[in-house]
Amino acid sequence: MSGASTAGPAQDPPHRSPAGDAATPTGPLRALLGGDTSDQGTPTDLVRVVDTPEARVRHPSDMLGMVVSALGVALVLVLSVVAHATTEGVTQDVRTFSSLLARILFIPVALLEGLITLFVPAAVLIELGWRRLGRQVVESICAAALGLVLGVVTALTISRFGSDELVRGLSVFTDGAWQLTIPGYVAAIAGLLTTAGPRTRRRTVRWSWNVLYLALFIVLITGQVSLPGVLVALLLGRLAGQAVQYVSGVRSERAYGADLVGAVRRAGFHPTALVRVRDVSAVVDDAEAHADGPPAVPEDPVASYDADGDVVDAPEDEEHTLPPDPTTADAAAVALTRSGDNRVYALFTGDGEPRRDVVVLDGDRQVLTTVQRLWRALRLRGLEGRAAISLRAAAERTALLAYAAQAAGVRTPRLEGIGVAADSVVLVQEHARGAVSLRDLEPDDLDGPRGDAVLAQAWEQLRRAHDAGLTHHALTPDVVLVHRDLSGAPHVWLTGWEQGEIASGTLSRRLDLTQMLALLALRVGARRALASAVRALPDEDIAAIGPLLQSIALPSPTREEVRRTKGLLDELREALVERLPQADVQPQNITRFGARTVITLALTIVAVTVIVTTLNFEEIASAITEANPWWVAASFLLGALTWFGAALTFSAFSPEKLPLWRATLTQMAGSFVALAAPAGIGPAALNLRMLTRRGVSTPMAVATVALVQLSQFVVTVLLLVVLSVSTQSGGLIDLPSTTVLLAIAGVAIAVVAILLVPSVRRWAWEKARPTLEQVWPRLSAMLGQPTRLALGLGGNVIMTLGYVLAFDFALAAFGQSLNLIDVAVIYLVGNSVGAMVPTPGGLGGVEGALIAGLTAAGIPASLAVTVTMLYRVVTYWARVPIGWVAMKRLEKTGDL
């Protein structure tokens, strides 16, 4: 929407609602927003607004509300089962005199029910119709219908598929029977009121919510509904209302047109033109697309407004007040638009003063910004966890950081004024005239000494901020601007301080350094970027960057570029080690959790839930107490022998001399780490840490740990093959039938045929190549030392046989026995399959696989469960305290 307006310099324009904006002609519009005129009848303060207002927007808060409502429904359902006794007790307490209250409150209850079912919807819809909000009337009716459907479907689903405890928790005892109560009409009314508008703006909505809560309280204490049922109905109604609002959108309350001009004037400026930067970019692109002639621009309909906001005829000579070519955007303004989720306008005042930029913060966008900031602070260590919740708080935070950066001597656009209008805050700031973002900078400008000067200036600006305790947290290609003066000397600007932090900590500053290094490396290469950092920073800061060179430490735009530039972070690590050979570049754990942690936690909860709900622990405890204690002790000792076997392998393959006792303590500590890491991951991480702490380079340490794991895999496979071939009898292993053999041969032929396809073969090689490239140099060295290789493989055999014999002795503890070869196959196959489940220690997967194997071998199911539980106790749970002691010992001696 484009428009021009006149307004007296001594008057603020009248406030206009979004409905007023929506009522103006659609398409590009040149609007005159009324004001005083001179004695000659010509405008004295014309304002041209080039913009495209959004009449309806989708609020992220509605999506967030939907998620919260859905989680609330799930939580209420869970609590209705878990805390059934408590909820039933509360309901029973307030229903002690339900019969008496029902008789006393018969008339009020009937009256309130009539109000809710008839008058509440009618009153709300009548008010919306009176305000000529026909679309919102339709949306409210749709939300009520959706809420009713959700309530009915939920009730039918729970009654049909829900457990007895769940149904009982949502039921009330009436007429001699339990009846499920999820009142659908409550969900319908809640959906209607949610969509009708906020309580603060609709009087009927405010009173309707109060009447609904009062009615629900009365029917609750009179025993007509259950407390969980009422909560579920209300949450379903909220979910329905917010879903309709998000899908349909809500009327925009952002400042456009007259409201926007008024906010700029309240900031202390008298604009002659406000041009939306996004639209300017579109005009420029259109002009480039029509290089052979002027672009086809349709005639703008003209409308003007007087001081009361009424449409009047536009003055014929309004063009003379417009600045020359106000639709020209430059790279700095476009970068400002890309760097944040805010509207940006070019501000012209027509009094000879330079152009300024106007950044508009909209209230509906702050919810998303707040959630993103909280999520990043929650996930990353060292970041400030507080976030600006309200629009005013966000504006104040932005202004504070801008003033702090300017006071610290950082070259950043000067904040010159703040204004408020509707649900928006405008920030008027200096325009970085002639500056170009690092994203748009020509490659030639970064070559040679000219480029080195730019890099030095970038580090200098960041150093000034850090010296004052400021950190940026979002260094992207669009917040680093470069311009050159008449002599050709570069000047670097740092913009976009909204995500920054005052009085920041050491880790926050190191994250900034890492972001700047990665950003410059994307433009000039890893080694040149690091060389610029070495010239600008002390060695301790350079060394501190190494552990933070990981994608999670980078903001999203930089992270996406780094992922497209494969190997960049590895090149930075190599360059850093070349500069500082003693630097530790092993990635530091700066995240509190990641996607793998979430998946692991979820699977662990599922596994524990399945185990707890399906196993009879009283029977298992009784059976374990009847087990032969000598066999149990022998099983535990053989399980402990596996520590020695793993330590022997680790010590034999270590490139540096590693005492066997230290290696054994490391394997014991791995039993404690296995409590929180998937099977095999925890011990491998400790082995890697032990090697690097003893001076082994990271590539060599990684290769050694990979060789240890590969040898364990090879020994396990070879033992399976040997045991399968040597099996002559047993309850589990029989010679496969001809059909099975043919099927195996067919699968093998299919695999070979697939690998003949070049693309599949390349994919398989790309997956296997990193591991082989890591292991091969170390394996070649070990092949030249047959004694150490034999010790390593022997340690793997000791470890594997220790677990097999511990499993066999767990069987013997209950008077059961199987062929030792069958026991070995059950353990090796079951442990390998179960360990594929990414839960701590293979929890759930290992138990299920071992139980299935024992049952297939003829062991009764009840005994198979008991034997498996005993085996896991002596080889997993009982070793955790010992592992904790070993961990503390190694930490005390500095080995970890």
Side-chain angles (χ1 to χ4, degrees):
M1 171 181 181
S2 65
S5 68
T6 62
Q11 279 188 321
D12 286 339
H15 177 80
R16 295 171 57 246
S17 67
D21 289 338
T24 60
T26 59
L29 178 66
R30 185 173 296 140
L32 296 175
L33 306 175
D36 297 332
T37 59
S38 65
D39 296 337
Q40 290 78 17
T42 59
T44 60
D45 193 8
L46 292 176
V47 180
R48 182 183 181 185
V49 179
V50 181
D51 196 3
T52 305
E54 298 181 59
R56 303 188 69 84
V57 296
R58 286 188 172 91
H59 278 199
S61 59
D62 290 329
M63 174 61 73
L64 181 63
M66 291 167 57
V67 174
V68 172
S69 297
L71 293 177
V73 171
L75 180 62
V76 171
L77 295 179
V78 171
L79 291 179
S80 66
V81 176
V82 176
H84 172 67
T86 302
T87 56
E88 187 177 20
V90 172
T91 306
Q92 185 64 36
D93 290 341
V94 299
R95 284 201 332 249
T96 303
F97 302 102
S98 60
S99 300
L100 177 61
L101 289 174
R103 289 193 296 269
I104 295 175
L105 299 176
F106 171 74
I107 295 179
V109 169
L111 178 61
L112 287 173
E113 289 178 350
L115 286 174
I116 292 174
T117 56
L118 179 61
F119 292 103
V120 164
V124 172
L125 295 178
I126 288 173
E127 181 184 1
L128 294 177
W130 179 264
R131 294 175 179 266
R132 298 183 181 181
L133 302 175
R135 178 167 178 166
Q136 201 163 356
V137 170
V138 176
E139 292 172 351
S140 300
I141 295 174
C142 292
L146 180 59
L148 180 62
V149 170
L150 288 178
V152 172
V153 170
T154 302
L156 292 176
T157 303
I158 292 176
S159 62
R160 184 179 182 89
F161 301 105
S163 62
D164 294 339
E165 293 81 3
L166 179 59
V167 174
R168 179 73 175 272
L170 298 171
S171 302
V172 294
F173 190 78
T174 179
D175 297 331
W178 289 96
Q179 294 184 0
L180 182 65
T181 57
I182 298 180
Y185 73 92
V186 173
I189 298 299
L192 183 144
L193 296 180
T194 299
T195 308
R199 297 166 57 101
T200 56
R201 298 189 181 182
R202 305 276 187 271
R203 183 175 299 177
T204 56
V205 173
R206 181 172 65 252
W207 284 104
S208 296
W209 278 115
N210 295 336
V211 171
L212 178 62
Y213 291 147
L214 178 60
L216 291 178
F217 175 74
I218 292 177
V219 297
L220 182 64
I221 64 174
T222 54
Q224 300 180 41
V225 294
S226 64
L227 178 60
V230 167
L231 295 177
V232 168
L234 286 173
L235 291 171
L236 289 175
R238 293 286 296 175
L239 176 60
Q242 289 159 339
V244 171
Q245 283 183 324
Y246 188 78
V247 172
S248 178
V250 297
R251 293 195 324 127
S252 174
E253 297 177 358
R254 301 174 180 177
Y256 289 107
D259 292 337
L260 180 61
V261 173
V264 173
R265 286 177 172 167
R266 279 187 283 274
F269 298 89
H270 299 284
T272 58
L274 284 169
V275 184
R276 181 76 173 267
V277 172
R278 180 194 61 192
D279 293 342
V280 171
S281 300
V283 171
V284 173
D285 293 342
D286 192 25
E288 292 176 353
H290 296 79
D292 54 344
V297 180
E299 283 294 328
D300 293 338
V302 179
S304 61
Y305 298 87
D306 59 19
D308 296 326
D310 298 326
V311 179
V312 297
D313 292 335
E316 296 179 357
D317 56 348
E318 52 97 6
E319 290 294 339
H320 80 278
T321 62
L322 300 178
D325 194 16
T327 58
T328 301
D330 60 9
V334 175
L336 183 60
T337 304
R338 290 193 302 243
S339 65
D341 191 22
N342 303 311
R343 290 184 283 147
V344 178
Y345 295 81
L347 168 62
F348 300 90
T349 56
D351 52 4
E353 295 185 5
R355 162 189 170 176
R356 297 175 177 85
D357 292 326
V358 176
V359 179
V360 183
L361 309 181
D362 295 313
D364 58 86
R365 303 300 303 174
Q366 294 309 306
V367 174
L368 184 61
T369 302
T370 300
V371 171
Q372 291 174 343
R373 182 177 177 84
L374 286 174
W375 170 255
R376 185 168 175 82
L378 179 64
R379 190 180 181 192
L380 288 181
R381 305 176 189 272
L383 297 186
E384 183 183 13
R386 293 175 295 174
I389 303 300
S390 66
L391 174 62
R392 181 175 294 274
E396 291 174 349
R397 178 188 181 89
T398 302
L400 175 62
L401 284 161
Y403 289 139
Q406 183 180 350
V410 179
R411 186 176 291 107
T412 189
R414 182 175 62 256
L415 182 62
E416 299 182 358
I418 302 177
V420 181
D423 192 31
S424 300
V425 174
V426 301
L427 306 174
V428 182
Q429 64 183 38
E430 176 188 7
H431 176 63
R433 185 177 181 84
V436 179
S437 69
L438 203 59
R439 181 192 300 274
D440 301 323
L441 198 64
E442 294 295 335
D444 294 342
D445 289 332
L446 292 174
D447 290 340
R450 287 166 52 89
D452 291 339
V454 172
L455 303 184
Q457 275 286 308
W459 288 112
E460 171 63 19
Q461 297 303 314
L462 187 60
R463 184 194 62 77
R464 292 182 184 180
H466 286 183
D467 288 346
L470 299 178
T471 49
H472 194 285
H473 290 330
L475 291 169
T476 66
D478 293 312
V479 303
V480 180
L481 309 181
V482 181
H483 89 274
R484 296 184 182 275
D485 56 24
L486 296 178
S487 65
H491 299 279
V492 173
W493 300 64
L494 287 186
T495 66
W497 290 90
E498 295 85 359
Q499 300 297 323
E501 185 179 345
I502 294 177
S504 57
T506 303
L507 181 56
S508 294
R509 292 193 290 273
R510 290 176 178 175
L511 287 172
D512 266 7
L513 298 177
T514 304
Q515 292 178 9
M516 180 63 79
L517 179 61
L519 180 60
L520 298 180
L522 287 168
R523 298 297 178 269
V524 301
R527 281 171 170 74
R528 189 176 169 200
L530 185 66
S532 70
V534 170
R535 291 192 296 268
L537 302 174
D539 287 348
E540 54 267 23
D541 286 347
I542 298 296
I545 294 176
L548 301 180
L549 285 172
Q550 41 191 310
S551 59
I552 189 62
L554 308 177
S556 297
T558 308
R559 184 162 59 243
E560 292 172 2
E561 285 195 65
V562 167
R563 287 174 178 172
R564 290 194 295 267
T565 310
K566 295 183 179 180
L568 178 66
L569 296 182
D570 291 334
E571 291 180 16
L572 283 171
R573 295 188 188 99
E574 293 174 1
L576 196 153
V577 172
E578 290 176 2
R579 292 275 183 173
L580 300 174
Q582 301 303 320
D584 182 10
V585 295
Q586 181 181 353
Q588 177 183 347
N589 183 17
I590 60 174
T591 59
R592 293 184 175 93
F593 59 89
R596 179 177 295 179
T597 305
V598 174
I599 295 174
T600 299
L601 179 61
L603 292 176
T604 302
I605 293 174
V606 171
V608 172
T609 302
V610 171
I611 292 174
V612 170
T613 55
T614 57
L615 298 181
N616 190 327
F617 285 95
E618 294 183 357
E619 293 182 2
I620 294 175
S622 176
I624 289 179
T625 57
E626 297 176 0
N628 188 316
W630 296 107
W631 285 115
V632 173
S635 178
F636 176 79
L637 292 177
L638 285 170
L641 183 63
T642 61
W643 287 329
F644 172 76
L648 187 61
T649 301
F650 183 39
S651 180
F653 288 163
S654 173
E656 299 289 338
K657 184 176 180 180
L658 183 63
L660 186 60
W661 171 242
R662 296 288 186 194
T664 304
L665 284 177
T666 304
Q667 308 314 307
M668 294 169 68
S671 299
F672 174 69
V673 177
L675 192 63
I681 301 298
L686 288 181
N687 289 345
L688 182 64
R689 183 64 176 171
M690 169 67 76
L691 291 175
T692 55
R693 291 291 292 177
R694 299 186 75 86
V696 179
S697 64
T698 300
M700 180 62 72
V702 171
T704 301
V705 172
L707 180 60
V708 170
Q709 292 183 309
L710 181 62
S711 67
Q712 292 173 355
F713 173 77
V714 171
V715 168
T716 300
V717 172
L718 290 177
L719 282 176
L720 275 174
V721 172
V722 170
L723 292 174
S724 299
V725 172
S726 62
T727 298
Q728 301 298 326
S729 62
L732 179 67
I733 305 299
D734 294 318
L735 183 66
S737 64
T738 303
T739 303
V740 174
L741 291 176
L742 290 175
I744 294 175
V747 171
I749 293 173
V751 171
V752 173
I754 291 174
L755 290 178
L756 292 177
V757 179
S759 58
V760 177
R761 188 168 61 252
R762 284 195 299 269
W763 176 83
W765 171 244
E766 289 297 328
K767 292 296 183 183
R769 184 177 62 180
T771 301
L772 295 177
E773 289 178 347
Q774 283 182 342
V775 172
W776 178 248
R778 188 64 192 140
L779 180 59
S780 300
M782 293 304 301
L783 291 176
Q785 305 176 57
T787 302
R788 297 183 65 181
L789 181 62
L791 285 176
L793 296 177
N796 284 326
V797 173
I798 292 174
M799 181 180 66
T800 302
L801 290 180
Y803 279 124
V804 170
L805 292 176
F807 189 46
D808 185 56
F809 285 8
L811 267 171
F814 295 97
Q816 301 293 317
S817 63
L818 287 175
N819 189 297
L820 183 59
I821 296 178
D822 287 349
V823 174
V825 173
I826 291 173
Y827 165 75
L828 294 175
V829 174
N831 190 68
S832 300
V833 173
M836 295 180 183
V837 180
T839 57
L843 185 64
V846 173
E847 287 84 355
L850 293 180
I851 291 172
L854 289 175
T855 305
I859 301 297
S862 58
L863 273 178
V865 172
T866 306
V867 169
T868 300
M869 291 299 106
L870 175 61
Y871 170 73
R872 290 290 277 171
V873 166
V874 298
T875 60
Y876 181 69
W877 296 106
R879 290 151 56 116
V880 170
I882 301 175
W884 179 81
V885 173
M887 174 77 77
K888 292 301 179 182
R889 173 65 179 173
L890 290 173
E891 290 178 349
K892 185 177 181 179
T893 57
D895 290 304
L896 289 182

